[in-house]
Amino acid sequence: MLTDYKMLEIAKKYIKLNEEEINIELIIVEQLTIIKPYGNIYSYGPKDPKYRLAGNGPFLVKNDTGIVIPFGTAMDVDYYIKGYEDGTWKPASYGVWDPNHN
């Protein structure tokens, strides 16, 4: 099992990849972190509030593997959490990021 510290480090690496693509500094909004038995769900946004982002939905860092699973933005985060937990929502395979293979 990964510690909260290690999962946060993975989350920061993940948003760093996004940051490099869009050339806007991003931050994890730590007070919005949702802790679940299977991992932590992080939210992020631009460090500078003058920027607005689209498509920056929350994401899960699994505590058994470190794999990052982005949730969508069309629905509230609770929709994705419920769907993930009951198996009715599946992430797109192209969106899953494995920090162990990058």
Side-chain angles (χ1 to χ4, degrees), residues 3-10:
T3 64
D4 287 340
Y5 176 80
K6 181 63 178 166
M7 285 187 286
L8 180 58
E9 290 300 307
I10 291 169

Side-chain angles (χ1 to χ4, degrees), residues 69-89:
I69 299 175
F71 290 154
T73 58
M75 307 294 277
D76 185 83
V77 68
D78 292 330
Y79 167 85
Y80 296 101
I81 292 170
K82 181 182 180 307
Y84 180 81
E85 290 177 350
D86 68 17
T88 59
W89 177 83

